[in-house]
């Protein structure tokens, strides 16, 4: 039905199967678990507690005060740990998969403004703001930092998935998302919603588009520590995770703008995590005719809608591709968040979300469960930013 469809969703997320790992000389057969500890227990002693019971610690997640470990499958180790007073919760560190259909190859020479960027009014907003000095983290498959239509805006990359390795993009998804946010306004290819925003490629998925919940949490931790203002999350899972929910909550409380794809489940009440969590801007997808994309998830958690069908953007190797999915809608909203923050960098994530909702354009024919407050809109941002900033200050004064 779709000429090109990037069905970028995580299917029923699988629990990581029993795998074999080595802890010292001892073979550990067990499942990957995230073990959340009580805040007052130092992670070092938490490590010792797990190791004493034959667990192999794989990673620390300081943001949620947790450890990722393989816990022996034999015996009742997991049950016993579950009752330990230092431990709040044990959950599976399950894999989140991305699934996509082939993208269409496009020969793009002279720069064009992609229809989605035009539809949300970004070119008109550039008279006021271009996203300059706003830090946007793209939690994804990595970014081709050398792409000539992105390079000047890519200010950093971080490989969470394979620490110590270059954070390139062997998949293409992350580079495509990055171009929607901030492809350069030059003579080449395409232009992004916020063409001067500073992009940071945080690689949490491998080239097959697979990553663990713990990789997402570690990516959010990196974003928070490195003072990212906007985080783009073009992925989702149908299965909730306490660790992910807590990580999201901490980032929202810290004032970051979190934007996530609603999901490609194509039915009502199917908004995925993390879009489903409070404080996250959940983005559904529309096509060129303002219809909801058939694949788009919908439900009461949808915050706004954005273009997500036949979206032209950057692709690794200096190329361009057309892709579809709420993965493509999400970065349109993240780009608008960057434009707003460029106007007033002191706005909190909640204030930015409020501006995005108040300035969104209600599309006739779409229900609130399909479009939230409406189509994300870049043109009203200047006046709205000033208005909300003034009002926000007044709110704080009256509250104190
Ligand atoms: Ca360009």
């Amino acid at each position: 039905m779709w000429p090109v469809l990037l069905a970028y969703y995580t299917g029923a997320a699988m629990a990581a199967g029993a795998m074999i790992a080595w802890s010292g000389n001892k073979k550990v057969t067990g499942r990957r678990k995230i073990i959340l500890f009580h805040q007052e227990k130092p992670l070092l002693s938490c490590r010792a507690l797990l190791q004493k019971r034959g667990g192999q610690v794989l990673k620390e997640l300081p943001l949620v005060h947790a450890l990722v470990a393989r816990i022996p499958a034999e015996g009742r180790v997991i049950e016993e740990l579950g009752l330990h007073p230092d431990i709040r919760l044990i959950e599976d560190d399950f894999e989140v998969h991305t699934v996509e259909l082939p993208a269409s190859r496009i020969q793009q020479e002279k720069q064009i403004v992609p229809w989605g960027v035009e539809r949300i009014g970004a070119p008109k907003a550039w008279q006021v703001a271009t996203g300059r000095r706003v830090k946007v983290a793209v939690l994804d498959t990595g970014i081709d930092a050398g792409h000539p239509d992105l390079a000047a805006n890519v200010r950093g990359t971080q490989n969470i998935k394979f620490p110590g390795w270059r954070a390139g993009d062997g998949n293409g998804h992350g580079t495509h998302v990055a171009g929607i946010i901030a492809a350069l306004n030059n003579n080449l290819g395409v232009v992004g919603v916020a063409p001067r925003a500073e992009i940071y490629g945080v690689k949490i998925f491998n080239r097959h588009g697979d990553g663990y919940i713990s990789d997402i949490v570690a990516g959010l931790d990196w974003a928070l520590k490195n003072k990212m203002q906007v985080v783009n999350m073009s992925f989702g899972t149908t299965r909730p995770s306490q660790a992910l929910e807590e990580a999201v909550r901490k980032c929202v409380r810290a004032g970051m703008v979190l934007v996530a794809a609603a999901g490609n489940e194509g039915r009502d009440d199917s908004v995925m995590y993390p879009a489903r969590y409070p404080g996250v801007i959940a983005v559904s997808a529309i096509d060129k005719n303002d219809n909801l994309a058939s694949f788009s998830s919908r439900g009461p958690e949808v915050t706004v809608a954005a273009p997500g069908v036949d979206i032209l953007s950057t692709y690794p190797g200096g190329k361009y591709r057309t892709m579809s999915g709420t993965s493509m809608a999400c970065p349109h909203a993240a780009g608008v968040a960057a434009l707003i923050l460029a106007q007033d960098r002191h706005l909190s994530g909640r204030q930015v979300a409020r501006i995005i909702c108040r300035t969104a354009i209600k599309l006739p024919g779409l229900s609130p469960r399909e479009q939230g407050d409406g189509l994300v809109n870049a043109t009203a941002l200047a006046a709205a930013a000033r208005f909300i900033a003034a009002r926000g200050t007044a709110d704080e004064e009256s509250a104190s």
Side-chain angles (χ1 to χ4, degrees):
M1 189 169 171
W2 306 105
V4 194
L5 183 123
L6 177 77
Y8 197 77
Y9 72 100
T10 59
M14 287 184 341
M19 293 182 207
I20 295 168
W22 294 88
S23 175
N25 292 324
K26 201 169 142 262
K27 202 160 99 175
V28 177
T29 310
R31 289 176 183 279
R32 278 179 76 114
K33 297 282 181 184
I34 300 177
I35 302 103
L36 294 112
F37 291 88
H38 288 293
Q39 202 64 41
E40 64 276 11
K41 299 288 163 193
L43 282 182
L44 201 66
S45 68
C46 299
R47 260 178 188 272
L49 189 153
L50 294 183
Q51 281 160 349
K52 218 172 109 189
R53 284 160 181 79
Q56 184 204 18
V57 178
L58 304 172
K59 193 186 260 188
E60 287 192 4
L61 300 175
L63 180 61
V64 292
H65 206 64
L67 294 173
V68 181
R70 284 197 197 289
I71 304 295
E74 62 272 5
R76 292 175 39 82
V77 182
I78 291 173
E79 288 80 354
E80 283 162 20
L81 283 171
L83 297 171
H84 196 281
D86 293 354
I87 293 175
R88 284 197 292 137
L89 188 89
I90 302 177
E91 66 178 11
D92 289 336
D93 187 20
F94 58 87
E95 259 193 307
V96 178
H97 305 276
T98 63
V99 180
E100 59 264 324
L101 296 179
S104 74
R105 290 154 193 268
I106 301 280
Q107 279 300 106
Q108 192 59 44
E109 281 149 17
K110 220 167 132 239
Q111 177 173 289
I112 61 147
V113 179
W115 80 264
V117 173
E118 186 72 53
R119 182 71 185 88
I120 64 169
K124 281 181 207 138
W126 296 335
Q127 293 159 12
V128 203
T130 51
R132 217 159 75 88
R133 293 196 185 143
V134 178
K135 294 182 183 350
V136 183
V138 177
L139 267 55
D140 216 293
T141 56
I143 290 179
D144 174 10
H147 195 295
D149 217 356
L150 283 174
N153 282 344
V154 180
R155 300 303 172 90
T157 57
Q158 181 69 19
N159 198 334
I160 300 282
K161 191 69 194 155
F162 306 107
W165 292 80
R166 206 173 59 84
D169 181 11
N171 178 285
H173 189 268
T175 301
H176 198 270
V177 164
I180 296 168
I181 300 169
L184 299 165
N185 194 358
N186 50 15
N187 296 321
L188 290 169
V190 292
V191 56
V193 174
R196 294 195 67 184
E198 300 181 358
I199 295 289
Y200 291 78
V202 183
K203 186 181 175 73
I204 58 167
F205 294 112
N206 64 19
R207 67 193 172 90
H208 305 296
D210 301 333
Y212 288 103
I213 282 288
S214 58
D215 296 320
I216 304 172
V217 172
L220 285 170
D221 196 0
W222 185 91
L224 186 61
K225 283 191 181 124
N226 289 277
K227 300 189 164 43
M228 295 293 120
Q229 292 156 280
V230 182
V231 178
N232 188 93
M233 299 187 285
S234 285
F235 54 82
T237 166
T238 53
R239 185 172 165 187
S241 153
Q242 182 73 20
L244 180 58
E245 183 172 1
E246 289 182 20
V248 161
R249 198 185 306 144
K250 287 197 170 167
C251 289
V252 170
R253 277 197 192 144
M256 287 161 80
V257 183
L258 300 191
V259 192
N264 295 357
E265 297 286 282
R267 52 188 166 75
D268 193 27
D269 211 15
S270 65
V271 176
M272 297 175 108
Y273 305 98
R276 207 178 175 101
Y277 291 128
V280 178
I281 298 173
V283 191
S284 65
I286 60 155
D287 65 14
K288 279 177 193 163
N289 301 315
D290 290 350
N291 295 317
L292 190 77
S294 60
F295 56 74
S296 183
S297 289
R298 53 211 83 159
E301 300 88 0
V302 170
T303 313
V304 280
V309 179
D310 294 341
I311 303 300
L312 180 64
S313 185
T314 46
Y315 204 76
K319 295 176 185 144
Y320 297 88
R321 290 282 190 279
T322 299
M323 290 189 180
S324 300
T326 51
S327 281
M328 281 63 245
C330 177
H332 283 90
V336 172
L339 294 177
I340 293 168
L341 282 164
Q343 280 297 97
D344 182 350
R345 57 180 299 106
H346 300 296
L347 290 169
S348 72
R350 285 197 179 95
Q351 287 173 316
V352 171
R354 221 179 299 157
I355 294 169
I356 287 175
C357 289
R358 287 197 180 190
T359 55
I361 299 163
K362 283 214 167 43
L363 298 173
L366 294 193
S367 73
R369 298 171 79 89
E370 293 171 327
Q371 63 173 328
D373 280 312
L375 174 66
V376 66
N377 171 23
T379 54
L381 68 94
R386 283 193 295 273
F387 169 74
I388 301 276
R391 220 187 60 98
T393 314
D395 284 351
E396 280 156 30
E397 278 165 9
S398 63
S400 61

